[in-house]
Amino acid sequence: MAIPVLRSLTLKQAIHAVLAAFVIGFAITAVEFTWTASRERTMALARIEEAAALVEGPAATAAWLIDGDLAAQVLDGMVRANAGWAEIRLGDGTVLARREQAAPPMTLLGRAATALLFTDRPFLIHDLPAPAADRSMSAGSRRVVGRLAVGIDTGRAAAGFLAYVSAALVAGTLRNLLIGLAMAAVFHRLLTRPLLQIGRAVARIDPEKPYGQPLVVPRGHADDELGFVITRFNHTLTLLEQEHDELRRLATRCPLTGLANRALLLDRLDHAIDLAERSREPGVGRLAVLYVDLDRFKRVNDSLGHGVGDLLLCRVAERLGASVRRCDTVGRLGGDEFLVVLERVADGEEAAMVAQRLLDGLSTLREVGDHRVHVTASIGIVLHPMGPADAGGAADGAGLMRMADSAMQAAKGAGGNRFVFHTRDMTDRVETRLRLEAGLREAVAAKSFELVYQPKIEAAGGRLTGFEALIRWRHEGAAISPADFIPVAEDTGLIIEIGHWVLEEACRTATRWALDHGPVPVAVNVSARQLADPGFARLVEQVLQRHGTPPDLLELEITETVIMKDVRHHLPTLNRLRALGVRIAIDDFGTGYSSLAYLRELPVDVLKIDRSFVNDLPHAPDIASTVIALAQKLLLSTVAEGVETAEQRHWLAEAGCNCLQGFLISRPLSADAAEAMVMTAFACDEALPLTA
Ligand code: C2E
Ligand code: MG
Ligand code: MG
């Protein structure tokens, strides 16, 4: 940036230096002049006095004699000797004689100086003895007979001084000007020019990459203030660089393992995709993304603590890093999930080999701290480009990550400790699921669900014993099965809100039916997340109170697998629910692995025989009959689910099953249709007719 001359520091310095030189110079000159003028004046006065003393005698005589000619003679000589003027006055003041010598013409300045420096001074004639005519006075007495006034030609006297003053003024002005300019030049050289150099060097610094370009100290300024400023600047730049590096590291690295984080991985992936797409020669330049998830890592965390968990993650990070080439990238996505990006792999086989190497590397990890561990992982692999069918497929880093993730889920689903390649089908499933998730969120917000009610009847008499409330959801014009969307709601946590809505709706309906027709229990399905919620029992109590629902009209169905997965944890909630007076049923009984010991302790009322066992009736009745026998032993009632044929019904009734539920009795009904059934049941007070 060029600075205009008028604003430049050099000009400002020059003006200030010249002004300062002038002020100081003038002050010194003024003192010098005053002193010189005063000395000149004293000398002039001394000269006058000397001249007056010389003519004192003749002047007194002339005055005494009142002799004008004598007086004129005396004065002539005097004025000639001392340029100026002189006069002799008598005692009464009349001028006896006056002489003066014309002064040369003077400049205005000279005149002013003269007026200032010199004044006309009268000179007193010494007292003389009285003349003979006046002898009356005592001898020797002296009296004033006249006065001699003398003035010198101030113009001539001051001329020398004034010439000196003028010369001094001119010289002083020139000197001050030169000193000021010299000072400005020095300042410019010592300060302004180096400052400009520094400014230009700072302006050249690239703001994108300010580091690694320290400023150079101008020559000769290494140990002065400028050198200090530049050294400090460079030091601050270095500190900023270190901080910047640290921030960049934090923004791109996992703080625990030091591996690339998600942001850096995505960046690398996008670069690698670019590279892979640019070199689409067959067999060269394919990219493989491996999504690695440790199996049962949560268990390590829960049982050995987070410290050991963190240590294990660090070891895993080291093993993964050691199992790949230097040009490959290993990153941590969070938790126990890692991503490995392999560039330039020839084919799936090469990727599979690396995956196996990763699994083998992890299996050698046997100890973490003082603890023995057994580490396995599930790996999902996606190749890009995938193959001839996918040759034109566009992909981005996030998309590849998702695909590798779904393949990893498949590996996990198949039991873990393996790798699975991603297929087109997996992508479709992921996309369907994402759409489902988004739709479910909207449905939860809009409460656009419906409850249908499937009746349960006594196996022996056929009387209506209750209903199971089942949720229904229409999405994009199609009815979505709860078997499809309930797991998604579970994963996303939306089940809590959905479950709450179902509970409210079922209690409201049961209360209305009880008031309008008679008491009919309604069963509601409870999911794992709901049961795990510590506030669940309290919520049930509040809903019952809000709708004034008698607790025995509410039955909660919990699947066997959910209850048995963590019995100890669920027991307090189940006990609290039971204490409210709510009935508890174990749904899909027979599909899980119930511990018989626990079953005895559990506060449950009903076992619902899973549809798959009812389906086997009557030709394979073992499990159904075992469940019925077990329930009878434990004094629990049984409900057979999915009864579809008369034979099944007959067998179940004969075997002592208490209630039946299934398409043979009725498909799930709308609330209105179910209410009509309730009305009929109470009106007739008899067994419900069977529907096909
Ligand atoms: P579930 O609790 O075992 O419900 C019984 C399922 O069997 C229902 O399917 C019902 O329509 C079906 N079903 C009943 N009788 C027959 C039959 O004779 N033959 C056949 N083939 N099927 C029969 P749905 O309504 O599709 O529900 C599926 C599962 O979704 C339910 O199994 C339950 O676990 C879950 N679910 C349904 N509604 C809810 C809900 O409101 N909350 C929760 N958490 N889960 C629900
Ligand atoms: Mg159920
Ligand atoms: Mg069931």
Side-chain angles (χ1 to χ4, degrees):
M1 184 189 85
I3 295 164
V5 178
L6 285 180
R7 299 233 188 95
S8 71
L9 191 57
T10 303
L11 184 72
K12 286 179 190 162
Q13 279 171 356
I15 292 172
H16 281 86
V18 169
L19 277 178
F22 267 92
V23 169
I24 295 168
F26 275 124
I28 293 172
T29 309
V31 171
E32 193 185 337
F33 285 177
T34 311
W35 180 77
T36 310
S38 152
R39 201 189 57 193
E40 288 288 322
R41 189 165 177 266
T42 312
M43 278 161 53
L45 287 175
R47 271 207 316 278
I48 295 171
E49 233 178 296
E50 203 179 308
L54 280 173
V55 297
E56 190 181 20
T61 309
W64 176 254
L65 298 173
I66 314 176
D67 184 342
D69 291 337
L70 180 60
Q73 274 174 24
V74 170
L75 293 183
D76 274 342
M78 184 170 178
V79 168
R80 222 177 294 120
N82 296 288
W85 60 270
E87 69 181 19
I88 296 171
R89 286 197 298 275
L90 296 178
D92 59 1
T94 51
V95 176
L96 182 60
R98 179 181 170 86
R99 285 289 183 273
E100 64 183 274
Q101 196 179 56
M106 259 203 293
T107 59
L108 198 64
L109 183 66
R111 259 188 245 283
T114 307
L116 275 171
L117 293 171
F118 301 103
T119 47
D120 210 8
R121 264 177 87 98
F123 188 80
L124 184 66
I125 297 173
H126 289 278
D127 284 352
L128 296 169
D134 196 3
R135 294 276 173 205
S136 58
M137 290 178 72
S138 60
S141 71
R142 300 164 82 87
R143 66 185 173 92
V144 175
V145 290
R147 283 174 180 274
L148 171 64
V150 182
I152 61 164
D153 179 355
T154 52
R156 192 180 289 175
F161 175 68
L162 286 175
Y164 159 72
V165 168
S166 310
L169 269 179
V170 171
T173 307
L174 267 175
R175 184 191 58 211
N176 295 342
L177 200 64
L178 288 175
I179 289 178
L181 290 176
M183 276 165 65
V186 170
F187 280 145
H188 176 76
R189 200 182 141 69
L190 285 181
L191 200 62
T192 317
R193 206 167 53 180
L195 277 180
L196 264 179
Q197 280 172 5
I198 295 171
R200 286 197 198 105
V202 170
R204 275 198 300 273
I205 292 179
D206 179 359
E208 293 292 315
K209 293 178 274 158
Y211 313 116
Q213 316 172 42
L215 297 185
V216 178
V217 181
R219 201 140 41 95
H221 290 280
D223 46 6
D224 63 15
E225 286 84 344
L226 282 179
F228 174 73
V229 167
I230 291 173
T231 313
R232 292 306 311 164
F233 182 88
N234 286 340
H235 181 64
T236 309
L237 216 59
T238 312
L239 290 182
L240 280 176
E241 181 177 10
Q242 285 165 0
E243 227 153 275
H244 188 258
D245 284 351
E246 179 63 10
L247 281 177
R248 200 169 34 204
R249 202 185 62 75
L250 287 177
T252 55
R253 297 275 155 187
C254 152
L256 178 68
T257 59
L259 294 178
N261 68 4
R262 181 181 292 269
L264 183 58
L265 280 170
L266 278 173
D267 192 57
R268 295 258 167 100
L269 262 180
D270 285 338
H271 275 292
I273 290 170
D274 233 33
L275 204 76
E277 280 179 359
R278 258 188 276 135
S279 55
R280 272 182 182 261
E281 307 133 46
V284 186
R286 277 173 97 183
L287 163 72
V289 180
L290 280 65
Y291 201 111
V292 184
D293 187 290
L294 301 185
D295 298 329
R296 295 172 303 278
F297 174 70
K298 191 173 174 301
R299 219 184 273 176
V300 174
N301 248 354
D302 290 349
S303 56
L304 303 179
H306 287 256
V308 178
D310 284 355
L311 207 59
L312 175 65
L313 290 174
C314 291
R315 295 282 162 280
V316 167
E318 285 164 17
R319 294 288 154 116
L320 294 181
S323 307
V324 296
R325 301 167 300 181
R326 282 179 71 82
C327 60
D328 300 324
T329 308
V330 179
R332 181 173 169 226
L333 297 169
D336 60 343
E337 294 175 353
F338 296 84
L339 199 82
V340 179
V341 180
L342 307 176
E343 287 182 47
R344 293 180 179 280
V345 290
D347 47 25
E349 237 169 81
E350 193 182 334
M353 254 162 54
V354 177
Q356 191 53 54
R357 210 162 55 227
L358 296 177
L359 291 175
D360 293 345
L362 292 179
S363 69
T364 59
L365 192 57
R366 304 218 176 275
E367 269 172 24
V368 171
D370 300 333
H371 304 277
R372 288 197 64 75
V373 289
H374 173 59
V375 184
T376 62
S378 304
I379 303 181
I381 308 173
V382 64
L383 289 173
H384 180 77
M386 280 183 205
D390 180 61
D396 62 355
L400 287 186
M401 252 191 220
R402 268 200 306 277
M403 292 179 205
D405 184 10
S406 58
M408 183 277 290
Q409 300 287 355
K412 194 140 282 205
N417 196 19
R418 71 192 62 213
F419 57 84
V420 168
F421 276 89
H422 175 269
T423 59
R424 172 61 54 204
D425 182 44
M426 286 177 188
T427 309
D428 294 346
R429 277 210 299 276
V430 169
E431 280 170 8
T432 308
R433 181 175 160 124
L434 286 176
R435 269 211 310 280
L436 204 68
E437 221 177 282
L440 209 52
R441 281 182 203 285
E442 283 171 25
V444 167
K447 296 208 167 39
S448 52
F449 298 104
E450 196 196 334
L451 275 192
V452 292
Y453 300 86
Q454 188 175 32
K456 288 181 276 183
I457 60 163
E458 261 176 9
R463 290 152 63 99
L464 180 69
T465 56
F467 288 90
E468 176 175 6
L470 295 161
I471 194 165
R472 292 291 175 263
W473 175 43
R474 290 192 74 79
H475 176 52
E476 293 174 351
I480 313 288
S481 162
D484 291 333
F485 74 82
I486 292 291
V488 178
E490 272 270 338
D491 288 351
T492 52
L494 288 168
I495 192 68
I496 297 288
E497 273 185 76
I498 296 176
H500 188 172
W501 177 84
V502 171
L503 202 60
E504 294 268 3
E505 188 66 15
C507 286
R508 203 166 54 82
T509 306
T511 311
R512 192 160 49 81
W513 287 347
L515 291 174
D516 293 353
H517 314 293
V520 185
V522 174
V524 166
N525 292 285
V526 174
S527 76
R529 275 240 189 165
Q530 281 175 285
L531 192 65
D533 180 2
F536 182 63
R538 175 100 194 94
L539 177 85
V540 172
E541 187 181 4
Q542 284 169 349
V543 173
L544 288 173
Q545 277 172 4
R546 189 160 35 248
H547 296 284
T549 316
D552 58 352
L553 291 191
L554 179 66
E555 190 171 291
L556 298 176
E557 292 189 11
I558 304 156
T559 56
E560 184 188 16
T561 31
V562 166
I563 289 196
M564 290 304 162
K565 204 169 163 203
D566 202 349
V567 183
R568 289 246 153 269
H569 187 244
H570 295 317
L571 210 53
T573 302
L574 293 173
N575 282 327
R576 249 175 274 148
L577 289 168
R578 193 41 154 1
L580 290 176
V582 170
R583 284 158 60 86
I584 295 171
I586 301 186
D587 206 350
D588 304 343
F589 192 81
T591 54
Y593 301 92
S594 274
S595 147
L596 293 182
Y598 273 134
L599 199 56
R600 208 172 41 200
E601 281 176 37
L602 279 175
V604 294
D605 308 274
V606 183
L607 295 186
K608 292 190 80 175
I609 308 167
D610 188 67
R611 196 173 71 220
S612 56
F613 308 122
V614 174
N615 215 23
D616 293 342
L617 297 176
H619 47 274
D622 305 4
I623 296 184
S625 53
T626 309
V627 173
I628 293 168
L630 180 72
Q632 284 169 348
K633 258 274 170 286
L634 295 172
L635 302 176
L636 304 174
S637 94
T638 42
V639 176
E641 292 187 275
V643 182
E644 291 182 349
T645 65
E647 291 81 43
Q648 288 167 353
R649 180 185 185 182
H650 184 72
W651 188 95
L652 287 160
E654 287 292 304
C657 177
N658 303 100
C659 296
L660 309 178
Q661 180 184 346
F663 292 172
L664 179 71
I665 292 98
S666 165
R667 289 192 172 258
L669 303 168
S670 70
D672 288 345
E675 186 173 359
M677 186 180 265
V678 174
M679 206 160 62
T680 316
F682 280 99
C684 308
D685 196 22
E686 60 186 32
L688 287 169
L690 294 184
T691 53

